[in-house]
Amino acid sequence: MIRVCVLPVAGREDPTQMLMMQAVNQQGRFEMRHGVHARFFAATRTCLRDRPDLLYFDWISRYIIGRSSLVSFIKMVAFWLDVQIAVNIFRRPVVWSLHNLQSHESGPGASWERRLQRYFARHVTIIRVFSQGAVARASILLGVKREKLRVVPVGNYVEYYPSEITPAAARVRLGLGAGDFVLLWLGSIRPYKGLHELIEIFRQVALPHWRLVIAGKPFIAAYAAEIAALAKADERIQVDARFIPEAELQVFYNAADVAVLPFAEVENTSSLIVAMGFRKPVVAPDLGVIGERLCRQRELVYQPGGLADALTVLAALPRERLEEIGEANYTEVTKYQWKDMGVIFQELLEKK
């Protein structure tokens, strides 16, 4: 049994890490477990405690970004030493999932983040990315050969999130009418996710019977307040600014006709995968993984800056076509399984 220790430890609000670990463990060749939950020297302490055969970093921003430039600098130095010890003293292979080419709202220390990413990329054995298009981008930005990169998309959430409530009942719960055409934006309320643009364009192009539902946990209180103030100017927009429990996701998705994800920047996004699993058409820009995942509904994938045109296209699509798109998205997303990550670990096992 090959022991793979996972860092950092994800919280309960994000099931992605848990689903991956469970699926890989069920294959019987690997034992994936969490490493030491610590801000400093997590890899070194994990090597001492667990004696892993492999280290898997799901992301590294927790170890290098702080609330001030000084804290970020201290964390980066500590992480640099941590990597040196894990790779050169304990001699453990390292796999890194590159969720984003740069952290969103990275704040103090952002100018050094790219340098540390490039340093880390040189020392890891394999870098996992989520789309074919990311291979070239990551290779250039990180200064590594493409041979070090592997494409393994995330799995799906079809069996994880319940979907039992009817659309009619879901709309009653949210105060929506049977004749409303409902656009849903759901996720963490953060600047890079394009909410400001969405609200402004919705107010300009939306038809009278359209409704926009915005739901999710505020990441920056001031930004969330700004979004709420913008939404108040249009009675067709409603905002539910809170963490949406897993059991309630079905209410929002089953009440919606379409999901809209107007990212300003993105490499990988769970919001897209969840929407596809709920059989929703998705309006989104051709960034990161989006174009590849939404290959069966190209008419609603737009170039950055083209949200207004995409909503105009949406307005012209008959309901039958929207239902076809939703089913096609569901079929597409179920191709990808959480156990697929085991392919990378198997590759490293065979090289030992």
Side-chain angles (χ1 to χ4, degrees), residues 25-58:
N25 284 342
Q26 288 172 1
Q27 294 178 304
R29 291 170 291 179
F30 305 98
E31 177 200 358
M32 291 195 77
R33 62 165 68 176
H34 281 124
V36 174
H37 185 39
R39 294 183 180 181
F40 296 96
F41 293 97
T44 299
R45 294 161 71 176
T46 296
C47 288
L48 289 169
R49 187 191 73 178
D50 297 310
R51 303 293 178 181
D53 297 287
L54 305 171
L55 287 171
Y56 170 68
F57 282 84
D58 212 351

Side-chain angles (χ1 to χ4, degrees), residues 257-269:
D257 292 288
V258 60
V260 56
L261 301 172
F263 291 100
E265 58 178 88
V266 73
E267 191 59 48
N268 182 53
T269 166

Side-chain angles (χ1 to χ4, degrees), residues 33 35 37 100 118 134 203 217 220 233 240 242 250 252 262 283 310 333:
R33 62 165 68 176
H37 185 39
N100 295 293
R118 292 172 70 92
R203 292 173 61 187
K217 181 180 179 180
I220 301 172
D240 192 348
R242 63 184 174 92
Q250 61 174 321
F252 290 89
V283 177
V333 81

Side-chain angles (χ1 to χ4, degrees), residues 242-301:
R242 63 184 174 92
F243 171 70
I244 308 299
E246 293 174 353
E248 287 188 46
L249 289 179
Q250 61 174 321
V251 177
F252 290 89
Y253 281 105
N254 287 333
D257 292 288
V258 60
V260 56
L261 301 172
F263 291 100
E265 58 178 88
V266 73
E267 191 59 48
N268 182 53
T269 166
S270 293
S271 298
L272 172 64
I273 305 305
V274 174
M276 294 174 72
F278 275 97
R279 294 180 164 86
K280 297 303 164 186
V282 182
V283 177
D286 192 2
L287 296 172
V289 303
I290 292 174
E292 293 181 24
R293 295 295 167 270
L294 297 179
C295 58
R296 300 195 182 198
Q297 54 133 89
R298 297 302 303 176
E299 60 263 62
L300 295 179
V301 177

Side-chain angles (χ1 to χ4, degrees), residues 149-170:
L149 300 161
R150 303 291 186 277
V151 179
V152 181
V154 297
N156 66 78
Y157 301 92
V158 169
E159 296 183 1
Y160 183 76
Y161 293 121
S163 182
E164 301 165 350
I165 193 170
T166 65

Side-chain angles (χ1 to χ4, degrees), residues 8 38-41 57 59-83 96 98 100-103 106-120:
R39 294 183 180 181
F40 296 96
F41 293 97
F57 282 84
W59 67 91
I60 63 173
S61 57
R62 180 176 296 178
Y63 300 126
I64 63 177
I65 301 299
R67 295 185 177 182
S68 69
S69 297
L70 177 60
V71 173
S72 294
F73 177 75
I74 293 171
K75 294 181 74 171
M76 289 181 185
V77 171
F79 183 69
W80 180 85
L81 289 171
D82 196 24
V83 173
W96 174 30
L98 186 64
N100 295 293
L101 298 182
Q102 184 163 322
S103 299
S106 52
S111 62
W112 287 90
E113 181 181 4
R114 176 72 67 228
R115 299 183 187 185
L116 198 60
Q117 281 187 325
R118 292 172 70 92
Y119 157 79
F120 188 55

